[in-house]
Amino acid sequence: MAILNRADAAPENASSPVAAATPLLGRPPLDADEFRRQGRQVVDFIADYYARIDDYPVRPDDVAPGFLTGKLPETAPSTAEPDELTAALRDVRELILPGITHWQSPRHFAHFSATASNVGALGEALAAGLNINPFTWAASPAATELEVVVTDWLGKALHLPEKLLFAGGGGGTLLGTSCEAMLCTIVAARDRKLAEIGEERMGDLVVYCSDQTHFSFQKAARIAGIRRGNYREIPTCRESGFALTAKALQAAVSADEAAGRVPLFLCATVGTTPTSAVDPLRELCAAVEGRDVWVHVDAAYAGAACVCPEFRHNIAGAEAVDSFSTNPHKWLLANMDCCALWVRQPTALVAALGTESDVILKDAAVRSDTGVVDYKDWQVALSRRFRALKLWLVLRCHGIDGLRAVVRSHVCMAAALERVVRADARFEVPVPRQFALVCFRLRAAAALPGEDKLPCGDDDVTTNNELNRRLLEAVNATGRAYMSSAVVGGMYVLRCAVGNSLTEERHVQEAWNVVQEQAAAILATAATTRTAEEHAVATTMAYPIPIYL
């Protein structure tokens, strides 16, 4: 097929109908020399972007839906323009970058971070360059076996129970997101349960979580066929730190059993999105013991912290769970996207998601009774990315000590932020800091000179929530910091999640300065408004409107 590489080459057999129909390419899509040249361009572009990322507003401030449509052609080009990659990168710089939210900005505190690293990005490029599809062992033996190795590496680094690792009879796999992990495990639990009680009872299956569980669990449950009315979102409270309690779970399960329904699945969370609360795994497992309820742990954010021994108490009791997932892209420098899922019984996944009709790729020389892993049978999608290569490079090049240093530095910066927030009497930290997430809010009483506290009526809660909503909008409008919000226990709080690879103490301090500046402006406006209202009331009382009889 060398003819495809030369536009000026004549077909060897011009009379051949195949040769006559073969299009001639000006340049091969894969060419080593061209790849080197273009690769340097892309690497330089990314390096320049990171060098100047602090100059960008964290969020675009002058865009509206459809803003990019009018700046790009209506159709793709028919032919490539000269030096097309240079032109495309120019468009990225001038058109794309001004319209993105910069997730790697050191001033991005709104979401749990998607930590990046040189090795993570290069590992992603290496996997893309090899461009394999390791959905069966035979399709790429080394890729499958590297995934087996690297998930056990990571599981041991997190101090997971051995029964969740290949070394202990379980096993791990790498997916894209936590929602995929939830869906795969719900389907496995569903099919295992229906095999026992009969498929006609599908409508009786019930799943459980707390009101702090990520919304993706509800999405996964719906896709798995769980009735909307059988999705139990159990309330939490401030007294329990917004963690799910065993007492509340046991009450919900017992009520369903009494009504003839079938408890199926519990999603416990280590590091909830709103406040990073930690559900007590040991107590929750004990509450459903003997009921054959599949217990899954969604530790998407905080599971990574278990590389540090001082955080491993947060997964105490994990030896009783059926599955556990965490996202190395959130804290372990693996770049987006990478979710690690471990299961105690991989056969349950294979029974629910496996297929036997892959006649094209089925390698007769590979016997299924030799312990071979076909990862397509562990997930929904048939195609797979070579995520194991990226994660393996990160673990190998940074080492566990390097990853521990990343986690500890972010936690230390968040702890320092919590201290300065508590030191400002205008603010409160209604939920103790967990890991590297600080939740705080402006006290409404601060807007009322001379008053130390407010009564706790609904109107006052609404006033306080509105005050903090305005504060968040003002902070984010500056472009100097980007935070998010959550409503827990009826309270509107601001969330500041420290965790980006480029974030330093000075960025956290600047973000807090922005909060203080905007709070002062909002409080001054509120005080002026209140003074005017009081003056109006006083004037009305001094000069009452006469009543004519």
Side-chain angles (χ1 to χ4, degrees):
M1 297 300 290
I3 190 172
L4 293 180
N5 299 342
R6 295 173 54 198
D8 58 347
E12 295 178 4
N13 185 356
S15 62
S16 167
V18 174
T22 301
L24 302 182
L25 301 181
R27 215 171 31 232
L30 283 178
D31 176 84
D33 291 336
E34 189 64 8
F35 188 80
R36 286 189 182 92
R37 185 185 73 83
Q38 293 181 331
R40 293 188 186 100
Q41 283 184 271
V42 173
V43 169
D44 285 345
F45 183 94
I46 296 171
D48 289 344
Y49 169 69
Y50 282 135
R52 297 196 296 263
I53 194 171
D54 213 6
D55 297 336
Y56 291 100
V58 188
R59 292 196 307 171
D61 55 4
D62 189 26
V63 297
F67 80 96
L68 194 56
T69 303
K71 296 180 179 181
L72 295 175
E74 293 184 359
T75 59
S78 298
T79 59
E81 56 186 299
D83 201 7
E84 67 279 0
L85 182 61
T86 298
L89 290 177
R90 183 175 60 249
D91 283 349
V92 173
R93 183 182 299 107
E94 297 175 359
L95 304 180
I96 308 298
L97 290 186
I100 70 170
T101 295
H102 299 277
W103 274 69
Q104 299 310 312
S105 170
R107 294 174 285 118
H108 186 147
F109 304 102
H111 307 98
F112 291 139
S113 61
T115 52
S117 65
N118 295 343
V119 172
L122 294 174
E124 191 77 40
L126 182 56
L130 296 179
N131 199 33
I132 64 173
N133 186 357
F135 58 178
T136 64
W137 186 92
S140 189
T144 296
E145 298 203 7
L146 183 61
E147 190 159 340
V148 169
V149 169
V150 80
T151 51
D152 263 17
W153 273 15
L154 181 59
K156 292 173 182 176
L158 300 180
H159 207 64
L160 294 183
E162 188 174 5
K163 63 180 63 177
L164 288 174
L165 310 181
F166 282 105
T173 185
L174 299 177
L175 306 171
T177 67
S178 294
C179 187
E180 291 178 65
M182 293 171 181
L183 175 60
C184 292
T185 50
I186 292 176
V187 170
R190 179 198 68 190
D191 283 14
R192 186 179 71 176
K193 180 68 73 173
L194 292 179
E196 299 173 3
I197 65 176
E199 293 188 2
E200 67 278 2
R201 298 202 63 188
M202 175 68 192
D204 293 330
L205 301 181
V206 186
V207 299
Y208 304 87
C209 65
S210 84
D211 58 1
Q212 304 299 301
T213 302
H214 196 272
F215 69 84
S216 58
F217 178 59
Q218 185 176 34
K219 181 177 182 178
R222 289 178 182 175
I223 296 172
I226 304 301
R227 288 183 174 178
R228 292 174 185 263
N230 285 359
Y231 177 83
R232 299 282 178 268
E233 194 174 86
I234 303 171
T236 58
C237 62
R238 189 172 182 177
E239 289 70 27
S240 69
F242 298 106
L244 177 60
T245 65
K247 181 179 179 180
L249 172 63
Q250 195 163 37
V253 170
S254 297
D256 281 321
E257 288 179 325
R261 290 181 283 269
V262 181
L264 173 69
F265 193 98
L266 165 65
C267 182
T269 306
V270 174
T272 61
T273 300
T275 65
S276 203
V278 176
D279 291 338
L281 302 185
R282 179 172 285 119
E283 290 83 352
L284 295 178
C285 289
V288 297
E289 187 177 6
R291 291 181 163 98
D292 194 28
V293 172
W294 185 297
V295 180
H296 173 71
V297 179
D298 173 24
Y301 165 60
C306 292
V307 296
C308 302
E310 63 266 30
F311 294 116
R312 289 175 184 162
H313 65 277
N314 290 289
I315 61 169
E319 61 275 2
V321 308
D322 295 276
S323 53
F324 185 103
S325 66
T326 191
N327 291 352
H329 67 239
K330 274 193 169 63
W331 227 346
L332 299 183
L333 306 180
N335 292 45
M336 286 286 284
D337 56 13
C338 187
C339 171
L341 167 68
W342 294 269
V343 291
R344 187 168 59 178
Q345 294 182 327
T347 52
L349 281 180
V350 175
L353 299 168
T355 60
E356 293 296 332
S357 58
D358 52 327
V359 293
I360 295 177
L361 285 176
K362 199 69 173 180
D363 190 337
V366 181
R367 293 167 42 195
S368 60
D369 61 354
T370 58
V372 65
V373 175
D374 284 342
Y375 273 122
K376 70 175 179 57
D377 296 335
W378 292 45
Q379 63 176 53
V380 175
L382 293 183
S383 61
R384 308 188 74 245
R385 294 173 56 204
F386 194 6
R387 296 184 179 91
L389 183 58
K390 169 180 62 177
L391 184 56
W392 176 77
L393 280 174
V394 168
L395 291 173
R396 179 169 178 175
C397 295
H398 286 280
I400 303 305
D401 286 344
L403 299 181
R404 287 172 179 162
V406 171
V407 173
R408 286 168 174 158
S409 67
H410 295 154
V411 171
C412 286
M413 285 188 277
L417 174 62
E418 181 188 25
R419 288 193 293 271
V420 298
V421 174
R422 290 186 182 278
D424 191 326
R426 299 171 300 174
F427 292 87
E428 64 174 332
V429 180
V431 181
R433 175 190 55 80
Q434 292 273 28
F435 307 104
L437 174 66
V438 181
C439 296
F440 63 93
R441 65 175 181 167
L442 189 59
R443 297 168 60 246
L448 307 176
E451 299 188 27
D452 294 328
K453 61 181 179 178
L454 290 174
C456 297
D458 292 340
D459 290 344
D460 302 305
V461 172
T462 300
T463 298
N464 199 351
N465 287 349
E466 175 61 21
L467 190 72
N468 282 280
R469 185 192 64 78
R470 288 166 51 200
L471 175 59
L472 179 63
E473 288 183 354
V475 168
N476 289 343
T478 66
R480 294 159 54 200
Y482 179 33
M483 299 182 186
S484 60
S485 66
V487 178
V488 288
M491 300 179 296
Y492 186 103
V493 298
L494 278 70
R495 298 174 69 258
C496 183
V498 181
N500 271 358
S501 302
L502 296 172
T503 300
E504 302 173 4
E505 290 182 14
R506 62 187 178 89
H507 298 111
V508 179
Q509 182 60 56
E510 181 186 357
W512 176 238
N513 292 342
V514 171
V515 170
Q516 289 183 305
E517 292 168 5
Q518 299 306 314
I522 289 174
L523 293 176
T525 301
T528 301
T529 301
R530 183 174 188 242
T531 300
E533 290 174 349
E534 289 176 342
H535 177 73
V537 170
T539 302
T540 301
M541 294 178 64
Y543 304 99
I545 299 175
I547 300 177
Y548 297 96
L549 300 177

